[in-house]
Amino acid sequence: MDDAAAVTLLLGRPPQGDFDVVVRRADGRPVVIRNAPLLGDGTPMPTRYWLVDDDLRRAVSTLEAGGGVRAAERAVDPVEVAAAHARYGAERDAALPPGHAGPRPSGGVAGTRKGVKCLHAHYAWHLAGGDDPIGRWVADQLETDA
């Protein structure tokens, strides 16, 4: 199965924009995709990294449902979180087409400006090699729960 078909199956719908698979399972199945910063119609896409693996999405959803967002915000220094948002936004913005003058994505991880919005997005970026203290916190929690 090609990447577009596999990601469509995992999301339950076709992806809205261009992407590439940046993390895979050992058998080649997509785990994390990296989205283009703009959709085909020019709409900004703030979420650069998207967790598509069913098992990991469920595990992170369970963590979120148990108060994980608030726990992560208590556990990680807000200065570190703000720096991660800035790094994420800068990486995403660097992928904009040269000379782009239209609307731009804003915010950091998952479009957030402050704090934590979505553990899935933080964990996806972490798995893709991003320097994300919330993503590392999620990884630690999932290892502890395993």
Side-chain angles (χ1 to χ4, degrees), residues 2-146:
D2 72 4
D3 286 343
V7 170
T8 295
L9 185 63
L10 288 164
L11 293 176
R13 61 167 175 77
Q16 292 181 298
D18 293 336
F19 70 91
D20 56 319
V21 177
V22 293
V23 179
R24 296 178 184 275
R25 288 194 173 268
D27 65 6
R29 288 180 294 158
V31 173
V32 175
I33 61 173
R34 180 176 51 214
N35 293 304
L38 302 171
L39 300 179
D41 66 0
T43 301
M45 176 58 147
T47 304
R48 182 85 166 135
Y49 294 93
W50 198 288
L51 184 65
V52 296
D53 180 85
D54 283 333
D55 295 335
L56 291 176
R57 273 196 347 245
R58 275 192 294 276
V60 176
S61 292
T62 299
L63 182 60
E64 277 191 355
V69 169
R70 286 184 303 280
E73 285 183 324
R74 285 190 306 269
V76 179
D77 181 346
V79 172
E80 289 182 40
V81 175
H85 284 310
R87 287 189 297 274
Y88 186 95
E91 177 189 325
R92 181 199 56 231
D93 293 352
L96 286 166
H100 176 73
R104 302 171 72 85
S106 62
V109 180
T112 270
R113 296 192 192 304
K114 181 179 177 185
V116 180
K117 174 180 172 184
C118 175
L119 296 181
H120 296 83
H122 283 278
Y123 187 52
W125 186 35
H126 166 74
L127 290 175
D131 182 10
D132 187 335
I134 297 294
R136 285 191 299 276
W137 181 89
V138 171
D140 290 346
Q141 302 311 301
L142 296 180
E143 288 175 15
T144 300
D145 292 344

